[in-house]
Amino acid sequence: MIYIGDYSITHTPQQTVVKIPISIDQDEHIVHFTIHEEITYTDTASIYNAALIGMLPLSFEKEMDIESRNPVCAVLLKNIREELLPTMAAAYETTYIPSIKAATITMKSSVTEERYATGFSCGVDSLSTLLQTEKEIAYLTFFNAGSHGKFLQEKTTEIAGFRYSNARKAASEFGEKLVRVDTNLSEFTKQKFQDNHSFLQIACVHILHPVINYYSYSTGQKEGYKERYGIDKIYLNNFCVHLLSSSSLTVDYTLSDISRFERTKIIASSSIAQHYLDVCVDTYEAIKSTYQNCSKCDKCMRTQLTLELLGTYDQFSAVFDKSEYNKHKNKFLAQIKMTRNKDQLNRELYEEVKKGAYYNFHTLYWELHLKKRLLKKKIKTLFT
């Protein structure tokens, strides 16, 4: 059983720290949320909503029920029990459905004034969401919830600081306020951040409920994913976030009708994007260079190739190292061709690439090399 206990809060002029005790099979732990500004809670249910959401992936991993000894929103609880849990079970490929209980349930009416927020990492999705929105923004958010590595490790702190500094500068140029939340929620599960990222980040959204009541989550995929791939963890994390809404906090997802190529096109002419775009999954490598991105990981390569196809790549010379891109380009072209039937984003990009004269002898060499490597790996697996 996973028990959610009574929270405590400490304040300084610069931050608010929320701590929630969690008992996991009688082992005591503390969930931390550090908000990098001082906020006041008048409704404590949002804190317990956040803890409950953060524990959902763990409940499937350990096959444990969850019980909150404090109030949880009735709308959130209904969404979780009736719609989200069956979808999670399908994504986790299990017949186990945890029981979710709360000591009491609460229903807080929505306020008339909309206080809108959206995530801001300076990635393609968050930048295109910001550039497309017509809403008045109360906050942009930066969540250090596991994407940068293990909580409070020196390397993780350095990566989070590097990316936050970049996002804060970009937000300032947009004229928007950026609020940062750090949490150790990812430390409670063995799952990869990619497999449960929406739960970790939407938990942070509920912690910010005193200052926001409407949140747009940038989905990484285009609608139609389910028809091609079924219900999996990618689908769960992109298209189910609305089920994590409460009676007074609305969560939705954005840009689901727009492909990654089209999203990149939206930001391609933005001078702020050209100076602050951050798509890298190997930020520690990027820190060693003079660029915001390492320019050679898969996400960097995909974005650079898209920008080249759009004819705007040279305008992003402040954030990408062109020499690294050219060094790895032919291998990446072969890679997206080989994985186009397994990866929706690579399939979208391949459809654009094949319109031009990008495939040549060098890409054919890499395609044959990668196929040979894959065959060796399969043979090795058979005999081990």
Side-chain angles (χ1 to χ4, degrees):
M1 176 71 80
I2 300 171
Y3 289 103
I4 300 171
D6 301 331
Y7 77 91
S8 64
I9 298 179
T10 56
H11 294 278
T12 72
Q14 289 78 37
Q15 65 182 28
T16 302
V17 179
V18 181
K19 296 182 180 180
I20 310 157
I22 304 289
S23 175
I24 304 171
D25 200 19
Q26 300 184 331
D27 291 332
E28 302 301 321
H29 305 271
I30 299 291
V31 170
H32 297 260
F33 291 97
T34 300
I35 305 113
H36 289 241
E37 67 174 68
E38 189 173 12
I39 64 173
T40 302
Y41 289 89
T42 56
D43 173 30
T44 60
S46 62
I47 295 173
Y48 300 116
N49 292 343
L52 170 59
I53 291 166
M55 290 294 113
L56 287 173
L58 185 65
S59 70
F60 277 90
E61 181 181 314
K62 291 187 172 292
E63 295 193 351
M64 288 183 177
D65 300 334
I66 304 177
E67 182 174 330
S68 174
R69 292 165 174 161
N70 292 282
V72 171
C73 174
V75 170
L76 175 64
L77 202 56
K78 183 175 186 293
N79 287 345
I80 290 172
R81 285 171 173 169
E82 295 183 6
E83 297 188 61
L84 186 58
L85 292 180
T87 306
M88 290 184 74
Y92 281 86
E93 299 180 333
T94 179
T95 57
Y96 173 76
I97 303 283
S99 169
I100 312 295
K101 299 178 182 178
T104 58
I105 58 174
T106 182
M107 179 79 77
K108 184 180 178 183
S109 59
S110 299
V111 295
T112 54
E113 180 188 358
E114 184 178 281
R115 298 190 301 276
Y116 174 85
T118 188
F120 193 64
S121 63
C122 281
V124 170
D125 298 326
S126 66
L127 279 165
S128 52
T129 294
L130 178 58
L131 290 167
Q132 288 285 94
T133 188
E134 296 178 354
K135 294 180 181 290
E136 183 178 343
I137 297 171
Y139 282 95
L140 295 176
T141 64
F142 181 93
F143 297 144
N144 178 23
S147 63
H148 307 118
K150 287 189 174 295
F151 190 65
L152 292 184
Q153 285 192 352
E154 183 178 349
K155 181 178 178 180
T156 303
T157 302
E158 186 176 1
I159 291 171
F162 179 76
R163 299 193 68 215
Y164 175 63
S165 176
N166 181 67
R168 187 172 56 182
K169 292 173 187 175
S172 178
E173 292 209 19
F174 275 116
E176 303 294 351
K177 186 170 184 177
L178 181 69
V179 60
R180 172 175 169 171
V181 179
D182 298 330
T183 183
N184 66 337
L185 270 176
S186 66
E187 300 301 294
F188 292 89
T189 174
K190 295 179 181 178
Q191 298 171 40
K192 295 183 293 184
F193 176 78
Q194 294 91 330
D195 290 341
N196 62 3
H197 59 83
S198 66
F199 296 94
L200 304 175
Q201 295 183 70
I202 302 304
C204 294
V205 173
H206 280 266
I207 283 293
L208 289 177
H209 189 18
V211 294
I212 64 173
N213 58 23
Y214 193 106
Y215 191 85
S216 284
Y217 187 83
S218 301
T219 175
Q221 304 287 337
K222 185 178 179 181
E223 279 185 354
Y225 181 94
K226 181 181 175 183
E227 284 66 33
R228 186 176 181 91
Y229 299 101
I231 294 176
D232 59 11
K233 290 177 181 176
I234 294 176
Y235 173 81
L236 178 69
N237 280 278
N238 282 281
F239 302 110
C240 296
V241 293
H242 62 289
L243 297 175
L244 298 175
S245 299
S246 71
S247 59
S248 54
L249 173 62
T250 300
V251 180
D252 71 3
Y253 54 85
T254 66
L255 306 183
S256 60
D257 59 336
I258 301 176
S259 70
R260 180 62 59 85
F261 186 87
E262 292 166 330
R263 298 176 200 194
T264 309
K265 188 174 183 179
I266 290 169
I267 71 165
S269 59
S270 165
S271 62
I272 298 177
Q274 290 163 7
H275 286 87
Y276 298 103
L277 180 64
D278 182 349
V279 298
C280 190
V281 297
D282 193 1
T283 304
Y284 202 64
E285 187 69 25
I287 291 172
K288 299 174 187 177
S289 71
T290 57
Y291 297 90
Q292 186 63 33
N293 303 276
C294 76
S295 306
K296 56 187 177 183
C297 70
D298 283 356
K299 284 188 71 177
C300 282
M301 292 301 298
R302 183 190 296 134
T303 307
Q304 289 173 106
L305 179 56
T306 304
L307 290 168
E308 182 179 349
L309 290 168
L310 290 168
T312 58
Y313 177 61
D314 288 339
Q315 296 172 44
F316 286 78
S317 59
V319 293
F320 289 119
D321 183 346
K322 191 172 184 177
S323 64
E324 284 291 343
Y325 170 58
N326 286 334
K327 191 187 302 183
H328 299 277
K329 180 179 170 181
N330 288 318
K331 179 182 177 181
F332 183 71
L333 283 165
Q335 189 174 311
I336 63 169
K337 183 179 180 182
M338 288 177 60
T339 58
R340 66 190 185 278
N341 293 323
K342 297 179 181 179
D343 186 301
Q344 176 170 294
L345 299 182
N346 284 354
R347 187 179 74 253
E348 291 172 356
L349 187 53
Y350 174 74
E351 292 301 318
E352 297 295 332
V353 168
K354 71 179 186 180
K355 295 175 184 177
Y358 280 83
Y359 287 99
N360 52 39
F361 170 79
H362 299 288
T363 52
L364 177 60
Y365 162 81
W366 273 111
E367 186 177 351
L368 294 172
H369 180 76
L370 292 173
K371 285 180 178 179
K372 181 180 177 181
R373 185 188 298 177
L374 184 62
L375 181 60
K376 281 185 176 180
K377 188 176 180 180
K378 288 182 178 179
I379 291 172
K380 186 177 180 180
T381 303
L382 289 173
F383 291 95
T384 56

